[in-house]
Amino acid sequence: MKKLYRSASDRKIAGVVGGLAEYLKVDASLLRILTIILGFMTAFMPIFLVYFIWYLVVPEEGTK
């Protein structure tokens, strides 16, 4: 069973998008672009809130 982690190797800020890309087996750059587009479409506030909550809840890769 796959586990969801924040990426330790493919990170720009906190590894949130990199970890999700690894979990979904998609290109991290594509997912980052989609995240930015979603941010523009929602006036940034909801996407920042989701990103921050994800950062707090999802453990970093390599930790138990």
Side-chain angles (χ1 to χ4, degrees):
M1 181 168 197
K2 289 193 301 187
K3 288 270 209 172
L4 182 59
Y5 293 105
R6 288 184 289 124
S7 178
S9 59
D10 188 14
R11 65 186 328 158
K12 295 296 180 194
I13 298 174
V16 171
V17 177
L20 185 59
E22 289 175 18
Y23 183 79
L24 297 175
K25 296 186 187 315
V26 297
D27 184 42
S29 297
L30 175 64
L31 199 55
R32 285 185 181 101
I33 290 169
L34 290 174
T35 303
I36 290 170
I37 291 171
L38 182 64
F40 278 117
M41 292 175 65
T42 61
F44 287 105
M45 196 56 188
I47 199 72
F48 285 141
L49 182 60
V50 169
Y51 192 93
F52 183 69
I53 291 170
W54 187 293
Y55 172 72
L56 294 176
V57 173
V58 177
E60 188 169 0
E61 182 179 35
T63 61
K64 200 150 189 155

